[in-house]
């Protein structure tokens, strides 16, 4: 298992995955991208992620299903930032008010603010 933390980017759209990973790296973080929630779960290093940035609607397991699965495991409560083309209120119906949700397309400063808040809250509950 890796000892360095990273921001996990999970999106089934290659362009979004590439752009988000590039943005995360430009903010000074290490980024590791995944084409699906299943690919993320199969990765041996997934537990070392400092934060997960995930699309909500993907082929196979959705971002919400991944979030709920990781919350149920209670092994690690990694902060989540959801990115979605759907209305934020629809996502919050499934997850709750405490999650960070960015609507596509989003600005770099909005993602930076979400990552900052998520990483500051790490270990502080269910984010």
């Amino acid at each position: 298992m890796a000892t360095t933390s990273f921001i996990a980017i999970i999106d089934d759209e290659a362009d979004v995955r590439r752009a988000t990973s590039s943005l995360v790296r430009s903010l000074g973080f290490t980024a590791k991208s995944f084409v699906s929630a299943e690919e993320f779960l199969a990765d041996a290093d997934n537990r070392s992620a400092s934060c997960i940035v995930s699309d909500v609607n993907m082929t196979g397991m959705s971002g919400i299903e991944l979030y709920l699965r990781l919350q149920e495991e209670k092994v690690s409560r990694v902060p989540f930032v959801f990115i979605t083309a759907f209305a934020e209120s629809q996502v919050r119906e499934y997850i709750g008010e405490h999650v960070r949700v960015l609507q596509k397309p989003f600005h770099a400063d909005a993602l930076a603010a979400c990552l900052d808040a998520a990483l500051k809250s790490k270990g502080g509950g269910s984010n």
Side-chain angles (χ1 to χ4, degrees):
M1 179 139 57
T3 56
T4 14
S5 58
F6 60 92
I7 307 296
I9 313 297
I10 308 168
D11 199 304
D12 57 355
E13 293 181 50
D15 291 342
V16 173
R17 197 171 54 250
R18 209 171 11 257
T20 305
S21 294
S22 178
L23 175 57
V24 165
R25 285 190 304 275
S26 76
L27 295 170
F29 299 105
T30 300
K32 190 169 183 179
S33 62
F34 301 89
V35 72
S36 67
E38 292 87 353
E39 182 183 37
F40 171 79
L41 289 170
D43 188 87
D45 296 333
N46 71 23
R47 295 289 181 202
S48 64
S50 296
C51 184
I52 297 171
V53 177
S54 178
D55 190 10
V56 169
N57 191 23
M58 297 182 284
T59 304
M61 181 183 285
S62 74
I64 292 172
E65 291 169 328
L66 173 63
Y67 173 83
L68 294 173
R69 178 171 171 176
L70 293 176
Q71 293 298 304
E72 286 173 7
E73 290 178 6
K74 295 183 183 174
V75 175
S76 173
R77 297 259 173 139
V78 178
F80 259 77
V81 175
F82 286 103
I83 54 176
T84 183
F86 298 103
E88 180 179 333
S89 59
Q90 291 175 322
V91 175
R92 292 190 185 284
E93 282 180 34
Y94 292 103
I95 300 298
E97 290 298 316
H98 63 279
V99 296
R100 289 158 189 86
V101 180
L102 289 174
Q103 194 154 354
K104 293 178 185 178
F106 53 86
H107 294 283
D109 57 340
L111 178 60
C114 280
L115 288 174
D116 184 54
L119 292 170
K120 283 181 181 174
S121 72
K122 188 172 181 174
S126 57
N127 281 323

